[in-house]
Amino acid sequence: MEIINMKDLKVIILAGGKGTRLWPLSRANYPKQFVKLFNGHTLFQKTLLRALQITSSNNISIVTSKPYEDLIKRDLQNIAPELVHNTIYEPIGKNTLPAVLLGCYKLTNENVILVMPSDHYIELDDKFRENVSEGYHEAAKGNFVIFGIKPTKPETGYGYIKVKNKTNPCHVVDFIEKPDYERAKRYIKDDSFFWNSGIFMFKVGSFIEAVKKYEKDIYREYKKGLNGFLNNFTGIKSQSIDYGIMERLEKKHVRMIKASFIWSDLGSFESLYELLHGKTEENVCVGKGFFFHQDSSDNLIINDEKLIVAIGIKDMVIVETDDALLLMKRNKGQILKDVVSKLNEIGRREINFNKQGFRPWGSYTVLLEGDRYKIKKITVNPNSSLSLQMHHHRSEHWIVIKGTAKVTLNDEVFHVHENESIYIPKSTKHRLENPGKVPLEIIEVQNGEYLEEDDIIRFADNYNRK
């Protein structure tokens, strides 16, 4: 099919999801769409690059959760920083239907929108553009379009789509919820069944009318305008596009585009292994760490720093991070979610938080901590600054290892250069700034009776934080 002009296509990228199936890589504060897995790129960045392949940045909107604001800004910085102004923050996650409604306020009823999750892997090539072009043609007629993936195994973690015809556009017969293993085995033998990718296209007006018809309570809140919708967001029903709209539509208005592009939802370490491994029995290694093995094959090793040595192991997942180590048989991924839930119940901090923190001014990594001390490496972006602040329970010692720091202590200002240091006493107003053109890196040594992030009083802040 000829690729049609899609210069007016609108794209909504959904980036507020979180999950536990890739723990300890992903955490509640650092979900998988922001983990750098592919040559330094995150899944969110790869989704953004796909969107920019088919439309311009002014046609792209991002919907995410407020806790991920700094991660969004980090990932946009070198690709499309202007999209900071096209990002909408949900007060709380309410699934895909309310999230897409948030992205519709600035659009017209005639606009065709492509809705993409940001935590899926899709190969960046012309096949994706061709399939989107086919979907655009159908959505412009007023149809609802979903992209289907030809099953390669009896997967029980996906929803399925049953279609009549085998060529695009396919007419949808039914949506099937996640099946048991025996049903999934039957589906992969029947070429009328496809995996539901969670990627949609439709006209804004058609979508709004469907919400009005099938989800009256959500529509009532949507009609109050963007501010009213956000103010009442906590009380809105959590609902997906699949359940709320697609499965309830008259099937004559629903089309499926059979995807010819490479796709994975990366919902498990097994799916990551399948995506990255070749035809041999070699191990798949991700990260900067060193992996040495003997008589070991078909393993997935994710390691950023340490030397990992494997002898006589097969079909394993080994994931090493700063604060956790996962050892798991590759086929036990379904159990990981339950294990993480149990660890969360007993209060293990590693389930939700990692050693890194991202802020509007840069980032920090906790290097070492113990009773009454914590050591961090802090990176401040050029021409950025921390808030003017004070701590009641800790003192700080800053050692500059790269760049020049501008430090305010009460009413005095100091410039601290590489291999120089400065001491910040308790209950002292202070501020750290990077006036230079290269990132500022310092080592911070905290000492005191309480060292958590909430021991902070802000007097002034460039980012309007409280």
Side-chain angles (χ1 to χ4, degrees):
M1 179 179 179
E2 180 184 357
I3 298 178
I4 60 177
N5 186 352
M6 297 183 290
K7 63 181 176 62
D8 294 326
L9 174 66
K10 309 298 182 181
V11 176
I12 296 177
I13 298 175
L14 303 179
K18 59 183 179 181
T20 56
R21 290 180 293 174
L22 289 187
W23 184 89
L25 277 187
S26 61
R27 318 278 177 106
N29 76 323
Y30 195 57
K32 70 175 180 178
Q33 61 265 31
F34 302 117
V35 177
K36 294 184 178 181
L37 282 173
F38 302 97
N39 297 321
H41 278 136
T42 66
L43 288 170
F44 170 72
Q45 288 175 316
K46 291 181 74 66
T47 304
L48 182 58
L49 289 169
R50 284 199 306 277
L52 290 169
Q53 186 188 44
I54 55 178
T55 194
S56 58
S57 63
N58 61 301
N59 287 328
I60 300 171
S61 297
I62 301 161
V63 182
T64 187
S65 296
K66 189 65 176 177
Y68 306 144
E69 181 176 6
D70 297 330
L71 290 165
I72 289 285
K73 290 177 178 177
R74 179 202 70 177
D75 281 5
L76 289 176
Q77 191 171 15
N78 296 321
I79 298 177
E82 67 275 12
L83 281 176
V84 167
H85 305 294
N86 283 10
T87 302
I88 304 167
Y89 297 99
E90 303 170 286
I92 185 173
K94 288 291 182 176
N95 217 317
T96 54
L97 197 155
V100 172
L101 281 174
L102 283 173
C104 289
Y105 277 107
K106 294 182 179 180
L107 306 180
T108 69
N109 285 340
E110 290 302 306
N111 287 143
V112 173
I113 54 176
L114 169 66
V115 177
M116 291 194 292
S118 64
D119 58 354
H120 292 180
Y121 178 89
I122 294 174
E123 199 73 44
L124 185 62
D125 57 24
D126 286 340
K127 293 178 181 178
F128 176 73
R129 182 179 170 85
E130 290 168 5
N131 285 156
V132 171
S133 179
E134 291 175 299
Y136 185 95
H137 183 78
E138 287 301 312
K141 298 177 184 178
N143 291 322
F144 287 74
V145 177
I146 188 163
F147 292 79
I149 310 297
K150 188 61 186 171
T152 56
K153 61 181 179 180
E155 176 61 60
T156 61
Y158 302 153
Y160 285 71
I161 307 165
K162 186 175 182 180
V163 296
K164 283 182 184 178
N165 53 311
K166 311 304 187 299
T167 57
N168 287 334
C170 304
H171 290 252
V172 173
V173 175
D174 199 9
F175 291 93
I176 297 99
E177 288 309 305
K178 298 172 183 177
D180 59 31
Y181 185 70
E182 291 303 316
R183 288 174 65 202
K185 283 200 298 185
R186 294 200 300 271
Y187 291 163
I188 64 169
K189 296 176 182 178
D190 186 337
D191 61 4
S192 64
F193 286 91
F194 292 81
W195 288 335
N196 183 341
S197 71
I199 303 170
F200 306 94
M201 293 186 79
F202 36 69
K203 270 188 176 181
V204 172
S206 301
F207 177 63
I208 300 300
E209 282 300 310
V211 175
K212 181 179 180 180
K213 181 176 181 179
Y214 298 115
E215 292 292 343
K216 292 181 173 61
D217 291 344
I218 298 177
Y219 176 77
R220 190 179 304 115
E221 297 300 326
Y222 170 77
K223 290 299 290 180
K224 294 178 181 179
L226 178 58
N227 290 335
F229 197 42
L230 287 171
N231 288 338
N232 297 323
F233 211 74
T234 303
I236 292 170
K237 179 172 70 171
S238 181
Q239 183 62 285
S240 69
I241 291 178
D242 298 87
Y243 292 149
I245 304 298
M246 299 299 291
E247 295 183 11
R248 300 160 79 177
L249 288 167
E250 294 181 57
K251 295 301 181 285
K252 65 181 180 180
H253 298 308
V254 185
R255 300 289 183 271
M256 188 198 80
I257 298 299
K258 182 168 59 175
S260 55
F261 51 80
I262 296 173
W263 172 91
S264 173
D265 83 329
L266 289 185
S268 66
F269 284 113
E270 177 67 10
S271 60
L272 179 60
Y273 174 83
E274 290 173 351
L275 180 69
L276 297 178
H277 94 293
K279 301 295 183 183
T280 67
E281 292 186 351
E282 286 297 312
N283 302 287
V284 173
C285 301
V286 179
K288 301 175 183 177
F290 190 80
F291 177 62
F292 184 85
H293 67 94
Q294 185 171 318
D295 190 27
S296 298
S297 62
D298 297 317
N299 301 297
L300 172 63
I301 314 296
I302 302 176
N303 171 29
D304 251 347
E305 291 187 0
K306 295 181 176 62
L307 164 66
I308 293 180
V309 179
I311 302 173
I313 66 169
K314 182 178 174 64
D315 298 325
M316 291 289 294
V317 173
I318 301 175
V319 182
E320 174 270 327
T321 67
D322 289 338
D323 59 350
L325 174 66
L326 173 69
L327 303 173
M328 179 182 73
K329 294 292 287 186
R330 276 193 10 237
N331 63 356
K332 298 296 183 181
Q334 297 296 331
I335 301 173
L336 181 59
K337 184 176 181 179
D338 294 332
V339 171
V340 169
S341 179
K342 290 175 182 176
L343 288 169
N344 194 40
E345 288 174 8
I346 63 175
R348 293 300 310 194
R349 188 179 186 278
E350 299 93 335
I351 299 305
N352 295 310
F353 301 97
N354 57 14
K355 295 285 189 179
Q356 275 191 305
F358 294 90
R359 297 293 185 266
W361 44 260
S363 63
Y364 69 83
T365 302
V366 177
L367 303 177
L368 188 66
E369 57 185 318
D371 184 32
R372 296 183 64 86
Y373 73 91
K374 183 183 289 186
I375 303 174
K376 291 181 178 180
K377 180 183 177 183
I378 296 176
T379 301
V380 184
N381 297 327
N383 298 310
S384 299
S385 69
L386 284 67
S387 59
L388 179 64
Q389 58 186 247
M390 182 179 74
H391 312 294
H392 284 305
H393 301 286
R394 70 175 184 255
S395 62
E396 296 172 341
H397 197 113
W398 295 341
I399 305 153
V400 176
I401 57 176
K402 180 181 178 182
T404 296
K406 180 182 177 182
V407 179
T408 300
L409 278 182
N410 288 325
D411 297 325
E412 295 186 85
V413 175
F414 303 88
H415 284 84
V416 186
H417 303 282
E418 292 179 5
N419 204 31
E420 296 177 351
S421 64
I422 191 167
Y423 175 66
I424 316 296
K426 285 183 185 179
S427 303
T428 301
K429 284 186 182 181
H430 61 278
R431 185 172 218 158
L432 175 64
E433 301 177 63
N434 179 5
K437 296 181 179 180
V438 298
L440 167 67
E441 295 181 3
I442 71 167
I443 299 297
E444 176 183 85
V445 180
Q446 301 178 3
N447 179 255
E449 63 272 14
Y450 184 77
L451 304 175
E452 296 304 319
E453 293 298 316
D454 57 352
D455 176 24
I456 183 171
I457 297 175
R458 289 192 175 98
F459 300 97
D461 184 57
N462 293 343
Y463 313 102
N464 299 315
R465 295 172 295 171
K466 296 180 179 178

